[in-house]
Amino acid sequence: MDNLAAIILHINRFALPALGILIAAGCVLWLLRRHKHSPPGAYLLNTVNHDKLQLPRYENSVGRSKHCDIVLNYPMVSRFHAVLARRRSGWVVIDTGSRGGTKIEGKALEKQTPIAHGQVITFGTFEFMFFDAEEEAKGAIY
């Protein structure tokens, strides 16, 4: 019996570190593959000065705060004004209780609202046109 315990102990000295290395390598490979995903490819175009603001993430905060993904340094825009998010069904806009309000094509948002390629979104009093790269690739012209 002591001989069997010694064999199991001897195997575990090599098997457990090897298992740990395999698990760590699997995690690293998963992380490397995960970062290969391309960004959503959507952007906002300022209708006044034609500045192009890329939406770098699948959920993008918009506001005056430097902590937002899209910083709009205008007095009529709240610090945390709205969120633009990519869902399976498409892009949506969520107003976060901003004082100036958020509108799509002039209609005020009451809840999470879908936005389509080429539509105008208003943060406070500032208008931006929304563009989705997938729709542009399909040849949608607005």
Side-chain angles (χ1 to χ4, degrees), residues 2-142:
D2 281 334
N3 201 12
L4 181 63
I7 292 171
I8 292 173
L9 182 62
H10 189 67
I11 290 172
N12 282 340
R13 286 186 181 159
F14 296 104
L16 291 179
L19 183 61
I21 290 170
L22 286 173
I23 291 171
C27 291
V28 168
L29 289 174
W30 181 83
L31 287 171
L32 291 174
R33 274 187 267 132
R34 182 109 172 119
H35 288 283
K36 288 184 181 177
H37 292 293
S38 61
Y43 62 93
L44 297 174
L45 184 69
N46 189 322
T47 59
V48 175
N49 63 11
H50 303 289
D51 282 346
K52 189 175 180 179
L53 305 172
Q54 292 290 335
L55 300 176
R57 297 178 173 78
Y58 287 94
E59 287 198 4
N60 303 277
S61 56
V62 178
R64 233 179 37 237
S65 172
K66 66 180 180 178
H67 300 292
C68 290
D69 298 313
I70 306 294
V71 178
L72 301 176
N73 200 13
Y74 303 118
M76 291 301 295
V77 175
S78 297
R79 281 178 290 194
F80 296 99
H81 199 96
V83 173
L84 284 120
R86 174 86 171 134
R87 302 287 188 245
R88 286 187 178 155
S89 59
W91 286 89
V92 296
V93 181
I94 305 151
D95 185 79
T96 56
S98 62
R99 193 179 328 165
T102 305
K103 299 176 185 172
I104 295 177
E105 296 291 331
K107 186 177 177 189
L109 302 182
E110 294 178 12
K111 57 181 179 172
Q112 178 174 302
T113 306
I115 187 165
H117 177 74
Q119 285 188 312
V120 175
I121 182 169
T122 307
F123 302 107
T125 57
F126 297 92
E127 290 186 347
F128 295 86
M129 190 171 278
F130 173 78
F131 290 96
D132 187 351
E134 289 178 13
E135 293 297 322
E136 279 186 325
K138 292 177 187 174
I141 300 174
Y142 289 91

